[in-house]
Amino acid sequence: MKYLFQLNHPAHYHLFKNSIKELKRKGHEVQILARRKDILLDLLKNETYDVLNVQKGKSLLQKIKLNKQAQNEILSYAQINRPDLIIGTGDFSYVTKKLSIPSVFCGEDDANLNLFIFAWALLTYGNFSSILAPVGVNNSIWNKKTTFYHGYHKLAYLHPNWFTPDKKIVEQYFSADKPYFLLRFAKLNAYHDVNAKGIDAVIAQRLIEILEKHGDIYITSERKLESQFEKYRLKINALDIHHVMYYSKLYIGDSQSMAVEAAMLGVPSVRFNDFAGKISVLEELEHKYGLTFGIKTDKPELLYQKIEELLSMPDLREEFQRRREKMLADKIDVTAFLVWFIENYPESARIMKENPDYQWRFK
């Protein structure tokens, strides 16, 4: 079989990288069509892939205009290469509509998170052949169409079956035994980040003042760093970030993606943005498992208070590893499930509709 993975963001590669590897190992032909986004092409350096030439726009109007160009390019690519199935997390539903090529959309955002996402869902969800999402995600009027599974996107690559932290990798850059903290500053300019705010220079400075008494500080940033923070910039191979994250004492950032990753690894995480209290996946990780904490941007003092509270917690690492184990016991091996779902599609979709418990075979 021939499978096309359409990737728009570094997180999409992490989500599918093990599935791609497994499908190739089983003798299938796998094609990758990727956007130039952040470090995505760096992550793909060991893969065979094609590049989507259209850039993403900066303004909303520009994004809409260029998105149409991207659609045409993806459609042309699919028309030439004729995959048996297209998989991804972006907008390629029109390929199914125009070329009758089946499509599987893997989503983790609630469809009703904000007006922009809901409008996007109205335009796309109806044309996807199947929608996959974690249990708990609210896909609104598309809940009946959605195949729900007990897992998270990030478990596809951070489940213990697929990821083993390596201290030696960290020690290529610095000591893994000395306490250190990982800070992440996102651009917050994606389609789901409309009107979102995060960590500014004043708050970043205060975080550093709190943390530097307890260990080293490393910053990974999508946005341009102010000059006073350059000395903290994390300079590593992008493929090594999860090893560095695993051995960190605490993650703080305005990126919800990395907050979920930290939770998957049992690393305490505090996220500071306007999505606190809104995203189902993070709400579950916070309120059911106690692995992450969301603070809204109008409450910076609460952010500092939560960090101080975590720093004073005895056996912090051991406690959060216990919380992680509880979470893992409730979840499946997402990559094993995805490979089965893709390889056996569309029969797999029918099986899951009739017997959702079938997924527990993938532990």
Side-chain angles (χ1 to χ4, degrees):
M1 298 289 280
K2 185 189 290 187
Y3 301 114
L4 170 60
F5 287 82
Q6 202 276 300
L7 310 179
N8 294 322
H9 189 280
H12 303 167
Y13 171 67
H14 287 305
L15 167 61
F16 295 122
K17 64 184 179 183
N18 292 316
S19 296
I20 289 169
K21 181 180 177 181
E22 283 298 289
L23 289 167
K24 284 182 176 179
R25 186 182 65 81
K26 291 184 170 195
H28 300 289
E29 182 180 348
V30 177
Q31 300 166 325
I32 299 171
L33 181 60
R35 273 189 186 271
R36 289 184 172 88
K37 164 66 177 172
D38 198 18
I39 58 167
L40 177 55
L41 298 190
D42 293 332
L43 294 174
L44 286 166
K45 63 184 179 182
N46 296 323
E47 304 280 358
T48 300
Y49 64 93
D50 293 301
V51 178
L52 191 63
N53 291 312
V54 177
Q55 300 286 325
K56 276 199 172 184
K58 293 182 179 179
S59 68
L60 185 58
L61 198 64
Q62 207 176 26
K63 284 176 188 286
I64 293 170
K65 181 181 177 182
L66 291 176
N67 188 58
K68 185 64 179 175
Q69 292 179 30
Q71 287 180 351
N72 290 335
E73 194 173 339
I74 295 168
L75 186 65
S76 175
Y77 186 92
Q79 201 160 17
I80 293 167
N81 291 280
R82 301 301 304 189
D84 296 297
L85 184 66
I86 180 169
I87 307 107
T89 68
D91 178 10
F92 46 83
S93 62
Y94 50 87
V95 175
T96 296
K97 184 177 181 180
K98 295 191 176 183
L99 301 180
S100 298
I101 295 173
S103 55
V104 176
F105 173 78
C106 298
E108 201 171 43
D109 288 331
D110 300 289
N112 61 352
L113 180 61
N114 58 38
L115 184 60
F116 190 90
I117 288 183
F118 189 77
W120 185 85
L122 279 172
L123 293 171
T124 60
Y125 278 21
N127 292 321
F128 287 120
S129 305
S130 287
I131 299 171
L132 286 176
V135 168
V137 167
N138 185 350
N139 270 344
S140 186
I141 58 177
W142 301 279
N143 275 333
K144 286 187 177 179
K145 181 172 184 172
T146 303
T147 299
F148 291 102
Y149 62 89
H150 290 274
Y152 308 110
H153 277 190
K154 277 62 178 173
L155 271 186
Y157 53 97
L158 295 177
H159 190 283
N161 290 351
W162 299 98
F163 177 76
T164 302
D166 190 341
K167 186 181 280 192
K168 290 180 180 176
I169 290 177
V170 180
E171 289 178 341
Q172 293 174 7
Y173 307 110
F174 45 78
S175 173
D177 294 319
K178 185 179 178 183
Y180 64 89
F181 305 95
L182 190 60
L183 274 59
R184 170 68 168 178
F185 305 152
K187 278 186 179 178
L188 295 175
N189 65 348
Y191 69 91
H192 50 229
D193 294 328
V194 176
N195 297 323
K197 297 175 184 176
I199 297 173
D200 61 21
V202 173
I203 291 170
Q205 185 58 51
R206 181 73 183 113
L207 291 174
I208 288 170
E209 290 167 4
I210 293 170
L211 296 172
E212 62 186 356
K213 296 175 284 187
H214 302 275
D216 292 334
I217 297 163
Y218 298 102
I219 297 175
T220 168
S221 182
E222 277 187 323
R223 65 174 172 81
K224 185 177 180 181
L225 274 182
E226 292 80 2
S227 58
Q228 67 266 34
F229 303 132
E230 272 297 333
K231 63 182 177 181
Y232 301 107
R233 185 184 289 276
L234 182 66
K235 297 176 182 178
I236 63 168
N237 183 325
L239 293 168
D240 296 337
I241 185 63
H242 300 116
H243 299 279
V244 171
M245 179 179 280
Y246 179 83
Y247 288 100
S248 65
K249 186 169 183 177
L250 179 65
Y251 163 85
I252 305 160
D254 45 24
S255 163
Q256 47 262 21
S257 291
M258 289 190 76
V260 176
E261 288 178 332
M264 298 302 97
L265 297 173
V267 174
S269 71
V270 183
R271 63 195 187 282
F272 184 74
N273 64 30
D274 293 317
F275 291 112
K278 295 181 180 179
I279 299 175
S280 295
V281 165
L282 281 159
E283 285 295 283
E284 179 176 275
L285 287 168
E286 179 168 358
H287 298 292
K288 185 174 181 178
Y289 300 110
L291 283 163
T292 187
F293 307 94
I295 312 290
K296 291 189 176 180
T297 55
D298 61 348
K299 297 178 180 177
E301 290 303 321
L302 192 58
L303 170 67
Y304 311 140
Q305 181 183 325
K306 174 55 70 174
I307 292 167
E308 295 278 15
E309 177 188 317
L310 289 168
L311 290 174
S312 64
M313 193 173 176
D315 302 321
L316 178 66
R317 184 169 190 82
E318 292 77 9
E319 172 58 29
F320 274 75
Q321 287 299 313
R322 283 191 289 270
R323 296 180 188 186
R324 179 198 187 208
E325 289 302 319
K326 180 184 175 185
M327 176 270 294
L328 289 172
D330 294 342
K331 304 303 176 186
I332 63 171
D333 177 337
V334 175
T335 285
F337 171 73
L338 281 176
V339 170
W340 168 78
F341 193 88
I342 292 166
E343 211 174 11
N344 294 280
Y345 192 82
E347 179 67 7
S348 53
R350 184 192 65 78
I351 290 171
M352 281 296 293
K353 288 295 183 186
E354 293 178 1
N355 179 24
D357 285 344
Y358 190 91
Q359 66 185 285
W360 293 112
R361 298 180 181 211
F362 307 102
K363 282 290 286 180

